C-alpha cells in the first residue's frame, strides 16, 4: 500500500510540474492511451463469439472518478459508442460472419482528451453453402422457371450468380441473403442449374462454394420451321432459286405465322407456308425461316453458294494523258467464268457518258472526246440479266497550254542583265517554258505552281538583239506554242559627254549671249545638269527627249567667268560627266577705249597746265616792263575796251574741265577723240583781263560777270554756248 501511494504522489507531483495549472485542474489521473484486444483471436471461423476488449491506459487515485467515452470503429466507420465510468469496455460480436472481417479500432475520450488504439484486423473464414430452389424441373420450350438462391445466415453485401450447364446466365446483387429470379431456358436439352454467392469485404470479396445442382428438362414443342432451297448445288448467278419456308406441325392444328428473311432483309411473312423465288447473285445467299409461337421463337437457316458467270468489268482509258476535247478511248472488259453457261451469250457493255458522239468500235471499246472537266466514268457488263459495274474511273482532262507571252521585266539596258518573263494564261501544270534566240533553244524552265512566270536572265550587246528572243510553252504531249518575238525598247547607257561653248572661248565679251551645249551618246529621255566647278547644286537641270541640251546666259558678265561642266543620266542610271570648260568674260571694247582716252586726257591736261603756267609767268614779266595797251592784239580790242582800266595784274586763272556726255553705244566710242573735251576758263576776278591763247582744237570759254557774256569760238564743231553740257569732273 505504501508503494502505490508513493507512486501516485510522485505522479501527481510530476503532473503538476509538467503541465501548467489550469489545463487539468485537480485531475488526479494520468491517461496515456487506449488498447484493443480481440478474443479469442483475430483469425476465427464463422459462428465464433468474438469479444473486442477496449481498455484505457490510465493511472488514477482511489477516490477519483472519471467518465470514459468509448467508440468502436470498423473500417473507419463508427460502429458503437458507450459512456461509462469503468476503464474497460467489452464489445461482443456474437456468431461472427465473413462480413465481420475488417480492421477495428477503439477510441476513448476522457474530459475531451482522446486516445485511439492501434488498428487490429479481424479475419472470419467460412461461408455457408448456398441453397438453390427451383419451382419446376420439367418445362416446355419457352416456359419460364422461378429460381432462388439463399446464403444461410450470411450478412453484408451479397451478389448471387446462376449457372446453366456451367455457363453464367445471371448475376445480381441482393438486398438480403436471398435472391429470386425467373429463367427461360433455351434449346430442348437438359439443363443443370446451380448458384453461388459472393460476400464483399473491403477491399476484396469472398466466394462461396457451389450450391447443389438441379436438373431441369426442357421439352421441345412439337412444331418447327422447315426451310428448303433448290437447287442447292452448282448454282450460278442469274439462276432462279426456289425457297420454301413452312412449319412441321404434327400435333397442332394451330395456323402459325412464318417469316422468311435473307440476312437482315425480310422477304415474306405468311401463315403456315412461304413459297419464294429469286435470282441468284454471287457469291452466297443466306436464308432464315422462323416461326413464332407465343414465347417460343424457332429458326431454321440455310445457305447456298453462287458461282460467278463473269467478273465485274474493269475500265481503262488510253492515252493515259488526255487534253480537253481530245479523242480518247475507254475500254470496258470482263472475264467470263462459266464458259459452258455463257457460250452463246455475249456480254453487253455500257458506259455512262454525256458525250453524244460516243462510238463503240469493238466489244467494250468506246471512242469519245475528253470532257472539259473531271468526269467519273463507270461501265457495266450485262449477261443473263446480271449487270456488274466497274469501279469509278476519274478522267482529269488537261488544259492545253495557251500561246505564251514574253516581256521584259523592268528596263532592258544594253550590256546589263535583262530579266525576261514568259507565261501562258491557260494550261495544266506543269508547263515547260523554253527561251529561244532565233528559234534556237537556250534554256527550259518547268513551272509547277499557279500564277508563276518563267524568269530568264539575258544580256545583250547590240540593241537589235533584243528582238531575236522569243519563248515557247509546252505541257504534256501537245504541240509547243511559241510567243511572238520580244519587243522592247533597249536603253543604251550614256557615254561620250562633250560640251561646246558659243562664242568660242576668248571671244566672250561682257553683255554678249553665251550658249553652252552638252551632248551625250545614249538613249533619251536624258536628264542634263549644268554645274559650275566648286558648286554643289546644279545651275540648271533639264529633262530632254534628245541627246543634247543647251544652257544660255543672255548677257554675260565678268561674274560668269569660271569652269563649267555638264552631267547626264538616263534610265540606265549611269551618270556621265563632261570635261570642264573655262569661260573667261572679257571687258567690253568701248570701256577699254574709254579708259585709254581718259588716261590720255589726264596726261594732256597735266601737260597743258604746265605750259599755261610757264606762259603766264612770262607775260607777267613783260607787263612789268611795258604798257598793257601797246601789246593788245587788234582782234581783242572790241571786247575789252570797257574793261581795259580794270584789267588786273592777277595772273591766276581757274580752269574747269567740261566733258561732253558720252554716248552708250560702244560702237561709236572709237570714233570720238579725247580732244573733244571743252575747257571753260573761269577768271576769279570779276573784271579781269582775259588772255587769249590759241590752243588749236581746245576751246575756251571766258566767263565774266558782265550781262553780255562773250564767247570766243575756236572750233567749228561747237556752234553755241548753250550746247555746252553741264560740267562733269
Ligand atoms: C468522282 O468520284 C469521287 C469519289 O468516287 C468523288 O469524290 C468526286 O467528287 C467525283 N467527281 C465528279 C466530277 O463527279
Ligand atoms: C518627251 O517625250 C514624251 C513622250 O513622247 C513626252 O511625254 C514628254 O513630255 C517629252 N519630254 C520633253 C522634256 O519634251
Amino acid at each position: 500500500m505504501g508503494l502505490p501511494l508513493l507512486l501516485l504522489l510522485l505522479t501527481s507531483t510530476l503532473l503538476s510540474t509538467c503541465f501548467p495549472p489550469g489545463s487539468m485542474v485537480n485531475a488526479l489521473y494520468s491517461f496515456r492511451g487506449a488498447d484493443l484486444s480481440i478474443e479469442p483471436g483475430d483469425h476465427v471461423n464463422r459462428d465464433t463469439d468474438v469479444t473486442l476488449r477496449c481498455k484505457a491506459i490510465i493511472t488514477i487515485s482511489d477516490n477519483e472518478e472519471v467518465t470514459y467515452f468509448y467508440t468502436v470503429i470498423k473500417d473507419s466507420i463508427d460502429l458503437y459508442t458507450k459512456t461509462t465510468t469503468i476503464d474497460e469496455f467489452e464489445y461482443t460480436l456474437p456468431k461472427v460472419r465473413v462480413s465481420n472481417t475488417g480492421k477495428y479500432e477503439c477510441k476513448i475520450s476522457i474530459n475531451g482528451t482522446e486516445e485511439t488504439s492501434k488498428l487490429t484486423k479481424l479475419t472470419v473464414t467460412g461461408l455457408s453453402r448456398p441453397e438453390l430452389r427451383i419451382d419446376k424441373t420439367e418445362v416446355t420450350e419457352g416456359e419460364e422457371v422461378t429460381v432462388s438462391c439463399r446464403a444461410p445466415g450470411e450478412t453484408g453485401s451479397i451478389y448471387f450468380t446462376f449457372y446453366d450447364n456451367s455457363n453464367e446466365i445471371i448475376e445480381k446483387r441482393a438486398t438480403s441473403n436471398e435472391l429470386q429470379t425467373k429463367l427461360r431456358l433455351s434449346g430442348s436439352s437438359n439443363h443443370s442449374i446451380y448458384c453461388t454467392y459472393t460476400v464483399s469485404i473491403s477491399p476484396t470479396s469472398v466466394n462461396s462454394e457451389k450450391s447443389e445442382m438441379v436438373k431441369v428438362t426442357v421439352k421441345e414443342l412439337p412444331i418447327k420451321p422447315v426451310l428448303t432451297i433448290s437447287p442447292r448445288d452448282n448454282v450460278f448467278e442469274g439462276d432462279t432459286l426456289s425457297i420454301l419456308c413452312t412449319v412441321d406441325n404434327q400435333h397442332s392444328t394451330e395456323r402459325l405465322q412464318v417469316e422468311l428473311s435473307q440476312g437482315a432483309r425480310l422477304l415474306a411473312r405468311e401463315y403456315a407456308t412461304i413459297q419464294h423465288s429469286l435470282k441468284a447473285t454471287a457469291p452466297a445467299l443466306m436464308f432464315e425461316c422462323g416461326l413464332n409461337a407465343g414465347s417460343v421463337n424457332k429458326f431454321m437457316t440455310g445457305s447456298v453458294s453462287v458461282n460467278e458467270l463473269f467478273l465485274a468489268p474493269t475500265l481503262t482509258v488510253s492515252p493515259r494523258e488526255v487534253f480537253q476535247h481530245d479523242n480518247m478511248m475507254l475500254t470496258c472488259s470482263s472475264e467470263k467464268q462459266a464458259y459452258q453457261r455463257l457460250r452463246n451469250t455475249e456480254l453487253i457493255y455500257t458506259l455512262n457518258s454525256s458525250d453524244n458522239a460516243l462510238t463503240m468500235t469493238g466489244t467494250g471499246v468506246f471512242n469519245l472526246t475528253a470532257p472539259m472537266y473531271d468526269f467519273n466514268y463507270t461501265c457495266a457488263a450485262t449477261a443473263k440479266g446480271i449487270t456488274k459495274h466497274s469501279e469509278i474511273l476519274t478522267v482529269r482532262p488537261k488544259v492545253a497550254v495557251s500561246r505564251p507571252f514574253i516581256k521584259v521585266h523592268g528596263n532592258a539596258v544594253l550590256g546589263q542583265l535583262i530579266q525576261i518573263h514568259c507565261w501562258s494564261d491557260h494550261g495544266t501544270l506543269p508547263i515547260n517554258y523554253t527561251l529561244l534566240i532565233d528559234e534556237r533553244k537556250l534554256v527550259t524552265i518547268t513551272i509547277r505552281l499557279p500564277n508563276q512566270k518563267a524568269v530568264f536572265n539575258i544580256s545583250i550587246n547590240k540593241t537589235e538583239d533584243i528582238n531575236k528572243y522569243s519563248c515557247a510553252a509546252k505541257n504534256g504531249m501537245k504541240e509547243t506554242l511559241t510567243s511572238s518575238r520580244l519587243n522592247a525598247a533597249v536603253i543604251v547607257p550614256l557615254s561620250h559627254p562633250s560640251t561646246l561653248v558659243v562664242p568660242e572661248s576668248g571671244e566672250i565679251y561682257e553683255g554678249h549671249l553665251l550658249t553652252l551645249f552638252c551632248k551625250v551618246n545614249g538613249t533619251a529621255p536624258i536628264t542634263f545638269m549644268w554645274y559650275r566647278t566648286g558648286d554643289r547644286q546644279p545651275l540648271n537641270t533639264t529633262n530632254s527627249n534628245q541627246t543634247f541640251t543647251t544652257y544660255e546666259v543672255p548677257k554675260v558678265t565678268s561674274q560668269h567667268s569660271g569652269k563649267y561642266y555638264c552631267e547626264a543620266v538616263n534610265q540606265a542610271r549611269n551618270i556621265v560627266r563632261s570635261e570642264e570648260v573655262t569661260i573667261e568674260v572679257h571687258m567690253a571694247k568701248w570701256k577699254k577705249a574709254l579708259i585709254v582716252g581718259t588716261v590720255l586726257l589726264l596726261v594732256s591736261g597735266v601737260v597743258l597746265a604746265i605750259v599755261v603756267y610757264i606762259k603766264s609767268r612770262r607775260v607777267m614779266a613783260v607787263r612789268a616792263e611795258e604798257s598793257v595797251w601797246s601789246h593788245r592784239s587788234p582782234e581783242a580790242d572790241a571786247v575789252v575796251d570797257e574793261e581795259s582800266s580794270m584789267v588786273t595784274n592777277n595772273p591766276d586763272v581757274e580752269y574747269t574741265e567740261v566733258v561732253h556726255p558720252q554716248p552708250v553705244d560702244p560702237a561709236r566710242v572709237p570714233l570720238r577723240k579725247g580732244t573733244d573735251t571743252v575747257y571753260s576758263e573761269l577768271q576769279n576776278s570779276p573784271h579781269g583781263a582775259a588772255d587769249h591763247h590759241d590752243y588749236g582744237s581746245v576751246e575756251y570759254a571766258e566767263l565774266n560777270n558782265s550781262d553780255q557774256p562773250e564767247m570766243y569760238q575756236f572750233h567749228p564743231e561747237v556752234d553755241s554756248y548753250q550746247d555746252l553740257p553741264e560740267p562733269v569732273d
Side-chain angles (χ1 to χ4, degrees):
M1 186 68 187
L3 192 63
L5 193 68
L6 196 68
L7 277 173
L8 185 70
L9 281 172
L10 198 67
T11 315
S12 11
T13 318
L14 273 171
L15 279 171
S16 56
T17 29
C18 289
F19 297 98
S23 67
M24 278 191 173
V25 185
N26 301 326
L28 291 173
Y29 64 87
S30 161
F31 176 37
R32 295 196 298 277
D35 184 58
L36 176 70
S37 56
I38 298 179
E39 290 159 12
D42 53 11
H43 275 79
V44 294
N45 284 325
R46 76 193 298 264
D47 283 338
T48 311
D49 293 330
V50 173
T51 302
L52 304 176
R53 189 181 302 281
C54 186
K55 191 170 165 36
I57 303 166
I58 190 165
T59 39
I60 190 161
S61 68
D62 280 345
N63 304 327
E64 195 66 24
E65 191 176 83
V66 292
T67 306
Y68 301 84
F69 186 76
Y70 293 95
T71 309
V72 179
I73 300 163
K74 184 198 175 203
D75 296 328
S76 305
I77 295 163
D78 291 0
L79 207 60
Y80 188 79
T81 58
K82 169 96 180 167
T83 309
T84 171
T85 54
I86 305 163
D87 66 352
E88 193 180 288
F89 168 68
E90 281 180 9
Y91 180 68
T92 310
L93 299 167
K95 297 195 185 305
V96 288
R97 299 290 178 236
V98 166
S99 62
N100 292 123
T101 301
K103 288 170 184 158
Y104 290 85
E105 295 165 274
C106 129
K107 188 168 80 185
I108 306 169
S109 175
I110 305 169
N111 282 335
T113 308
E114 263 183 26
E115 291 290 345
T116 305
S117 73
K118 282 195 286 182
L119 269 183
T120 308
K121 181 166 185 190
L122 170 68
T123 307
V124 182
T125 49
L127 286 174
S128 59
R129 192 175 187 204
E131 290 171 4
L132 177 72
R133 270 187 232 132
I134 295 185
D135 63 344
K136 293 171 224 165
T137 55
E138 229 181 66
V139 289
T140 50
E141 246 183 312
E143 210 182 337
E144 281 181 334
V145 290
T146 304
V147 292
S148 76
C149 191
R150 203 167 77 89
E154 292 305 328
T155 56
S157 170
I158 305 173
Y159 288 83
F160 289 93
T161 312
F162 293 90
Y163 297 83
D164 174 10
N165 290 338
S166 300
N167 297 316
E168 193 178 305
I169 48 172
I170 288 176
E171 189 193 56
K172 271 188 181 169
R173 185 181 170 165
T175 50
S176 67
N177 65 340
E178 181 163 1
L179 184 85
Q180 181 174 312
T181 188
K182 284 181 192 268
L183 297 179
R184 179 168 288 145
L185 301 171
S186 60
S188 57
S189 54
N190 289 331
H191 296 264
S192 297
I193 310 292
Y194 64 85
C195 73
T196 63
Y197 69 88
T198 301
V199 178
S200 39
I201 49 166
S202 174
T204 57
S205 60
V206 183
N207 297 324
S208 75
E209 58 180 310
K210 293 174 190 173
S211 71
E212 160 199 23
M213 214 177 275
V214 177
K215 280 197 174 359
V216 178
T217 310
V218 179
K219 284 204 291 180
E220 212 180 334
L221 277 177
I223 49 170
K224 61 177 185 193
V226 180
L227 177 70
T228 320
I229 304 170
S230 76
R232 283 212 92 114
D233 303 316
N234 214 19
V235 179
F236 280 86
E237 289 174 309
D239 289 355
T240 302
L241 292 176
S242 289
I243 298 145
L244 186 70
C245 173
T246 184
V247 184
D248 179 4
N249 183 7
Q250 286 125 9
H251 306 286
S252 170
T253 51
E254 201 183 347
R255 269 162 59 83
L256 293 169
Q257 200 177 48
V258 287
E259 281 180 4
L260 178 67
S261 54
Q262 183 192 352
R265 190 167 136 242
L266 180 71
L267 296 176
R269 179 184 284 144
E270 295 285 342
Y271 281 97
T273 301
I274 296 170
Q275 183 81 51
H276 192 81
S277 68
L278 51 76
K279 208 160 271 222
T281 53
L285 297 172
M286 301 267 287
F287 298 98
E288 187 182 88
C289 177
L291 77 80
N292 184 303
S295 60
V296 181
N297 284 305
K298 291 187 152 197
F299 304 100
M300 183 176 175
T301 58
S303 68
V304 58
S305 63
V306 182
N307 300 305
E308 284 191 285
L309 278 175
F310 55 94
L311 298 183
T314 54
L315 184 62
T316 52
V317 63
S318 100
R320 292 186 63 83
E321 177 194 273
V322 293
F323 284 86
Q324 289 174 332
H325 308 303
D326 273 5
N327 286 328
M328 63 174 186
M329 192 171 80
L330 294 180
T331 306
C332 187
S333 76
S334 173
E335 212 178 302
K336 284 185 189 176
Q337 292 295 97
Y339 283 94
Q340 66 277 29
R341 295 284 195 111
L342 280 174
R343 191 171 298 146
N344 299 317
T345 318
E346 274 297 344
L347 280 168
I348 296 164
Y349 293 101
T350 51
L351 179 76
N352 78 318
S353 164
S354 54
D355 185 7
N356 297 326
L358 173 87
T359 55
M360 204 161 143
T361 55
T363 314
V365 180
F366 301 90
N367 277 351
L368 64 166
T369 52
M372 280 287 282
Y373 307 105
D374 290 6
F375 195 86
N376 285 343
Y377 290 95
T378 53
C379 75
T382 306
K384 292 207 161 186
I386 306 284
T387 298
K388 293 190 178 186
H389 293 274
S390 71
E391 286 185 0
I392 287 175
L393 172 75
T394 305
V395 172
R396 297 194 162 85
K398 284 190 164 190
V399 178
V401 76
S402 61
R403 187 172 295 283
F405 298 97
I406 190 165
K407 206 175 164 211
V408 166
H409 182 73
N411 286 332
V413 178
L414 198 68
Q416 292 182 12
L417 216 56
I418 300 171
Q419 205 180 73
I420 294 179
H421 284 185
C422 182
W423 74 98
S424 290
D425 284 343
H426 306 286
T428 302
L429 298 167
I431 301 173
N432 285 342
Y433 292 99
T434 307
L435 184 69
L436 309 170
I437 181 164
D438 284 335
E439 270 94 60
R440 188 162 54 82
K441 287 182 183 176
L442 283 182
V443 61
T444 298
I445 292 176
T446 305
I447 295 298
R448 298 177 193 281
L449 297 176
N451 303 322
Q452 235 184 21
K453 294 174 177 178
V455 178
F456 302 99
N457 288 322
I458 61 153
S459 168
I460 53 167
N461 295 321
K462 275 187 275 174
T463 318
E464 58 272 23
D465 283 354
I466 198 88
N467 304 112
K468 293 181 180 170
Y469 289 92
S470 59
C471 75
K474 184 175 167 69
N475 68 343
M477 291 291 131
K478 281 274 177 177
E479 60 171 325
T480 305
L481 288 178
T482 307
S483 72
S484 56
R485 291 290 190 110
L486 181 57
N487 182 14
V490 178
I491 295 159
V492 179
L494 298 182
S495 65
H496 303 95
S498 61
T499 52
L500 180 69
V501 181
V502 173
E504 272 175 53
S505 189
E507 294 289 321
I508 306 160
Y509 292 102
E510 281 184 311
H512 283 196
L513 168 70
L514 174 69
T515 309
L516 299 169
F517 290 89
C518 183
K519 183 185 178 308
V520 291
N521 289 353
T523 306
I526 300 169
T527 301
F528 288 98
M529 286 150 292
W530 279 103
Y531 286 91
R532 184 177 174 146
T533 307
D535 286 357
R536 231 175 241 175
Q537 297 298 322
L539 292 171
N540 170 279
T541 303
T542 314
N543 293 315
S544 174
N545 278 345
Q546 283 166 320
T547 57
F548 64 90
T549 186
T550 59
Y551 176 54
E552 290 191 342
V553 184
K555 276 195 175 139
V556 73
T557 69
S558 57
Q559 277 162 7
H560 289 114
S561 294
K563 290 183 171 175
Y564 293 82
Y565 62 88
C566 76
E567 279 185 356
V569 65
N570 70 353
Q571 283 165 291
R573 292 173 192 281
N574 64 320
I575 298 176
V576 291
R577 177 174 172 166
S578 74
E579 304 235 304
E580 288 178 348
V581 285
T582 307
I583 304 289
E584 203 182 319
V585 182
H586 297 288
M587 200 179 286
K589 279 178 182 167
W590 63 266
K591 271 195 183 173
K592 275 192 208 166
L594 186 63
I595 289 162
V596 169
T598 310
V599 169
L600 282 175
L601 205 60
L602 278 173
V603 170
S604 31
V606 170
V607 169
L608 186 66
I610 293 165
V611 170
V612 169
Y613 180 73
I614 294 167
K615 227 177 174 181
S616 65
R617 277 296 174 115
R618 211 183 298 155
V619 168
M620 274 201 298
V622 172
R623 276 180 186 173
E625 293 164 15
E626 45 187 281
S627 158
V628 173
W629 301 104
S630 57
H631 289 277
R632 177 159 303 182
S633 67
E635 300 97 304
D637 280 350
V639 181
V640 293
D641 50 353
E642 280 178 62
E643 298 156 347
S644 53
S645 57
M646 296 176 75
V647 169
T648 68
N649 296 330
N650 192 352
D652 297 324
V653 175
E654 195 179 297
Y655 293 97
T656 304
E657 188 184 332
V658 180
V659 181
H660 287 282
Q662 300 297 321
V664 178
D665 187 359
R668 288 182 61 194
V669 169
L671 301 175
R672 297 190 62 91
K673 308 236 168 22
T675 47
D676 287 347
T677 310
V678 175
Y679 289 95
S680 301
E681 185 184 306
L682 300 171
Q683 219 167 326
N684 50 4
S685 68
H687 299 285
D691 285 340
H692 303 112
H693 310 282
D694 187 1
Y695 288 112
S697 61
V698 178
E699 185 179 80
Y700 289 93
E702 190 180 306
L703 302 172
N704 52 35
N705 46 5
S706 70
D707 292 331
Q708 301 276 316
E710 283 166 12
M711 193 179 68
Y712 301 89
Q713 282 193 322
F714 295 94
H715 197 278
E717 274 187 28
V718 181
D719 300 327
S720 67
Y721 174 76
Q722 281 75 18
D723 282 346
L724 282 173
E726 290 291 315
V728 175
D729 280 359

